[in-house]
Amino acid sequence: MACRVLGWAVPPPPRLTRRFLFIFTLSLSCTYLCYSLLFCCDSLMQSRGLGEHRCLLIRNVGGKKLLQKSPYCSLEGPSPSAASPGAPALSSAPAPAPRLASTNHSGTPKLGTKRLPQAIIVGVKKGGTRAVLEFIRVHPDVRAVGTEPHFFDRNYDRGLDWYRSLMPRTLESQITMEKTPSYFVTKEAPRRIFNMSRDTKLIVVVRNPVTRAISDYTQTLSKKPDIPTFEGLSFRNRSLGLVDMSWNAIRIGMYVVHLESWLQYFPLAQIHFVSGERLITDPAGEMGRVQDFLGIKRVITDKHFYFNKTKGFPCLKKTESSILPRCLGKSKGRTHVQIDPEVIDQLRDFYRPYNIKFYETVGQDFRWE
Ligand SMILES: *[C@@H]1O[C@H](CO)[C@@H](O)[C@H](O)[C@H]1NC(C)=O
Ligand SMILES: *[C@@H]1O[C@H](CO)[C@@H](O)[C@H](O)[C@H]1NC(C)=O
Ligand SMILES: *[C@@H]1O[C@H](CO)[C@@H](O)[C@H](O)[C@H]1NC(C)=O
Ligand SMILES: *[C@@H]1O[C@H](CO)[C@@H](O)[C@H](O)[C@H]1NC(C)=O
């Protein structure tokens, strides 16, 4: 860094102690100068609404390591409208807080605090929850945990303080979010989330239960190639058309059954359903509704997406500062399983009454026929 070079360039004074003192003072001043400059620039850019440039600054400060921890760093950070100047709330993963956040000598502005999430993507597995999370965190008023905390299902014993510690730092105006798709099918989750805060906003990404089940199976198969066939696992007696409702891949898709237990704690208005299908065909429209539900400005629009035909999935457009491609969707390498069309028909019949009941309950037709 320029500061250190300066320190070394000074000719050595006669006495060791004096020399040491001199360098010490100099580096202190330099550090101060660097920080002041950084925060000055940062707040200037924010006031101009040049959020994208924040990443470049962050890179200079935190170095390579920090950048890798936060591949979506251009998408994060404080809201341009936030009052507190130059608060580089950085990492989103439950990774160690960035270096700057730990220094709080005079002159360093507040960097926000860790808060329990006000909104949670609670499900469903293979519905498109990752995409919704990555899309919504483009919003400057949203900060999210990158990994799945599994607090309300597997880690509840660790307590709310542990849970909070995983959260990114946020400013007053920002919403903290996380996603763990297994919450939706966890019996205790609604009560536990209600106990944390009855105001928690819940997002559920749903998708045709048949394609969801196949996608779920395909994922499992890629990890455990020895499992029985999809057809074998789906039925207790196929000729009788007896579907095995205890198999998770089937059970998760019985949305209305799980929804009932959420509705015992939360009013329907506090649960927002995202269509996994529309998320692909019209990501901006679907994300518009998510932003409305969260009570934040519609910042994420058409302009943020392009459709990658190879992937068959919408991707986030590259910004100046983003390095990694922000494309999600089907993994290309995944084994493609051929499912007997008759089985698909049988499952469609099986799910039909559940789907209809689900549409009625939420007051929305997802058109999974
Ligand atoms: C850092 O800031 C907090 C809150 O403003 C304060 O309580 C604490 O004493 C500060 N720590 C140091 C080392 O200045
Ligand atoms: C609800 O949360 C409080 C802490 O806020 C805790 O002491 C209590 O055990 C929780 N109750 C249930 C039923 O989870
Ligand atoms: C399925 O049901 C049919 C008719 O009741 C019966 O003959 C057959 O043995 C059953 N198959 C299995 C695998 O249980
Ligand atoms: C589309 O996705 C494919 C497969 O992941 C990738 O190789 C390609 O670079 C992407 N194209 C664009 C224009 O982003």
Side-chain angles (χ1 to χ4, degrees):
M1 261 181 117
C3 306
R4 272 162 88 195
V5 173
L6 238 171
W8 286 337
V10 169
R15 286 206 202 141
L16 239 148
T17 42
R18 267 175 60 193
R19 181 184 172 192
F20 173 76
L21 267 174
F22 181 75
I23 293 179
F24 182 69
T25 318
L26 198 73
S27 50
L28 258 182
S29 321
C30 265
T31 313
Y32 179 75
L33 202 74
C34 284
Y35 276 91
S36 309
L37 273 173
L38 269 172
F39 286 122
C40 170
C41 293
D42 198 9
S43 51
L44 255 175
M45 287 188 166
Q46 273 181 45
S47 61
R48 284 194 215 133
L50 295 174
E52 300 91 327
H53 295 272
R54 228 177 282 132
C55 216
L56 296 170
L57 278 171
I58 290 163
R59 205 181 321 167
N60 289 339
V61 177
K64 219 176 180 179
K65 214 170 163 190
L66 182 64
L67 197 72
Q68 282 168 350
K69 283 255 162 64
S70 181
Y72 299 95
C73 68
S74 70
L75 317 173
E76 299 160 358
S79 143
S81 59
S84 170
L90 312 168
S91 86
S92 69
R99 220 188 296 167
L100 272 177
S102 57
T103 62
N104 79 343
H105 52 75
S106 61
T108 305
K110 287 239 169 78
L111 294 151
T113 46
K114 294 182 175 218
R115 284 170 245 262
L116 291 169
Q118 296 99 325
I120 305 176
I121 300 172
V122 294
V124 301
K125 188 184 177 194
K126 304 311 290 174
T129 57
R130 169 59 58 187
V132 172
L133 189 78
E134 295 308 338
F135 293 166
I136 195 63
R137 74 199 304 198
V138 170
H139 202 293
D141 291 345
V142 173
R143 310 279 335 278
V145 192
T147 54
E148 295 174 8
H150 280 282
F151 176 65
F152 296 105
D153 56 345
R154 297 183 205 151
N155 296 309
Y156 196 59
D157 292 345
R158 298 189 182 215
L160 281 173
D161 287 338
W162 175 82
Y163 186 45
R164 188 187 288 107
S165 75
L166 303 180
M167 298 300 149
R169 288 175 188 279
T170 50
L171 302 173
E172 210 65 67
S173 57
Q174 292 176 313
I175 297 175
T176 303
M177 285 186 73
E178 70 119 317
K179 77 118 179 164
T180 305
S182 51
Y183 292 163
F184 190 66
V185 296
T186 300
K187 220 176 90 245
E188 302 84 1
R191 177 174 50 78
R192 290 171 173 177
I193 294 177
F194 181 84
N195 190 39
M196 173 183 75
S197 167
R198 58 186 304 153
D199 297 325
T200 311
K201 291 184 176 179
L202 308 168
I203 294 173
V204 190
V205 190
V206 287
R207 179 182 172 194
N208 185 332
V210 181
T211 45
R212 197 220 67 82
I214 296 169
S215 172
D216 197 339
Y217 173 80
T218 308
Q219 185 181 39
T220 311
L221 190 69
S222 72
K223 290 177 198 155
K224 299 178 204 160
D226 299 332
I227 56 168
T229 61
F230 180 82
E231 292 83 345
L233 289 165
S234 294
F235 296 96
R236 281 162 66 187
N237 187 323
R238 193 176 156 188
S239 51
L240 288 179
L242 265 181
V243 171
D244 188 351
M245 291 191 273
S246 67
W247 184 34
N248 246 329
I250 295 292
R251 196 177 67 93
I252 292 172
M254 299 157 69
Y255 301 138
V256 71
V257 173
H258 309 289
L259 180 61
E260 293 298 341
S261 46
W262 290 88
L263 290 176
Q264 285 174 18
Y265 290 90
F266 297 94
L268 191 62
Q270 220 167 303
I271 310 173
H272 179 73
F273 298 90
V274 174
S275 157
E277 284 85 11
R278 282 199 305 258
L279 190 65
I280 295 172
T281 56
D282 178 23
E286 218 44 35
M287 292 314 292
R289 282 183 282 275
V290 172
Q291 291 168 91
D292 293 348
F293 172 70
L294 293 175
I296 54 181
K297 230 175 96 186
R298 283 196 177 206
V299 169
I300 305 159
T301 61
D302 282 335
K303 293 192 290 257
H304 288 86
F305 300 100
Y306 72 90
F307 196 82
N308 184 324
K309 288 209 185 82
T310 325
K311 279 228 147 209
F313 205 81
C315 305
L316 285 167
K317 271 185 193 153
K318 264 183 122 113
T319 57
E320 270 174 66
S321 46
S322 79
I323 290 154
L324 298 171
R326 282 166 298 153
C327 244
L328 300 134
K330 295 168 210 141
S331 311
K332 248 176 100 190
R334 213 157 259 170
T335 352
H336 195 78
V337 277
Q338 274 307 75
I339 309 288
D340 183 345
E342 196 189 292
V343 167
I344 292 178
D345 281 343
Q346 280 176 295
L347 288 182
R348 206 176 280 154
D349 290 344
F350 165 77
Y351 278 121
R352 187 167 297 112
Y354 293 101
N355 289 346
I356 290 169
K357 187 88 191 297
F358 180 66
Y359 301 162
E360 284 169 4
T361 310
V362 306
Q364 234 187 105
D365 186 346
F366 289 90
R367 304 176 179 279
W368 290 325
E369 284 312 306

